[in-house]
Amino acid sequence: MAHVPTVATTELELLTFRQALEAANTPSEEYDIQKWLYAPNFYSEYRYLLGTRGKNPLICIGINPSTAKPDALDNTLKSVERIALGNGFDSFLMFNVYAQRATSPDDMEKVYNPALHRENLTAFRYILSISDKPAVWAAWGAIIEKRPYLPDCVRDLVRAGEEFGASWYCAGAITKKGHPHHPLYLRKDEKLRPFDVKAYLETL
């Protein structure tokens, strides 16, 4: 079932990422917290993070979350997990340029919520901090063009990545405009390769 936003995120009482993380580390009847990292730890209009726990995670960045949750991955997340394991990582962490849930990017809010973006950045810095050498897979595709605020959100993520010495990767064909391929429709044995994210930012 598709997720269509029911309210602007500015009208929500957002959990901070730290609050969401604390809840995500609290035992749940819904899923195994030893396996999954899910923040917030309930289905809502936004999601900071969904992934599996491990010592060597691949951080994948899409545009925005859809309906996936622990033990109920959508096809995009299934592909992310498969590519992560196939490239030698023991886990994956699905992150997004913007945290609002919307199965169709056309339903994303037209004006971004600074508070949501700020907490999303906090989430990104957290997942960068849990790896000695964070590996980030740029995987947002041409959907980055859907909203004018998305490129600036990416720039903030790149700056955060620099603070933690992140290495950037892509997988599959780059679009004519230089956008990194979305996780769907990749070969099962697709290999990650280095992605010059700074050069990419100059084209946005």
Side-chain angles (χ1 to χ4, degrees), residues 78-194:
K78 289 176 183 177
S79 181
V80 169
E81 183 173 41
R82 183 169 58 247
I83 298 299
L85 298 179
N87 280 269
F89 297 90
D90 66 358
S91 53
F92 76 93
L93 294 170
M94 188 71 209
F95 183 76
N96 290 279
V97 174
Y98 195 63
Q100 182 190 29
R101 274 193 202 266
T103 299
S104 170
D106 290 328
D107 292 328
M108 292 174 66
E109 48 200 2
K110 291 181 170 56
V111 178
Y112 97 121
N113 179 349
L116 183 62
H117 178 56
R118 182 175 60 249
E119 295 306 324
N120 207 38
L121 271 175
T122 300
F124 189 51
R125 287 193 172 94
Y126 169 76
I127 58 178
L128 289 169
S129 75
I130 62 179
S131 297
D132 291 334
K133 297 179 179 179
V136 181
W137 173 13
W140 46 78
I143 307 170
I144 191 79
E145 299 176 15
K146 288 287 185 178
R147 294 289 183 266
Y149 56 81
L150 293 173
D152 285 338
C153 291
V154 170
R155 290 185 179 94
D156 287 343
L157 298 179
V158 172
R159 280 192 286 269
E162 290 176 348
E163 297 172 21
F164 293 87
S167 297
W168 289 78
Y169 299 91
C170 63
I174 298 295
T175 73
K176 291 181 179 179
K177 292 187 177 180
H179 303 310
H181 200 290
H182 188 274
L184 275 179
Y185 311 120
L186 292 174
R187 297 196 319 267
K188 291 183 178 181
D189 60 349
E190 194 76 54
K191 296 302 178 186
L192 297 173
R193 61 183 189 279

Side-chain angles (χ1 to χ4, degrees), residues 22-37:
E22 182 177 355
N25 289 328
T26 302
S28 169
E29 295 181 357
E30 300 294 324
Y31 63 93
D32 181 4
I33 68 163
Q34 300 301 316
K35 176 182 179 181
W36 295 101
L37 183 54

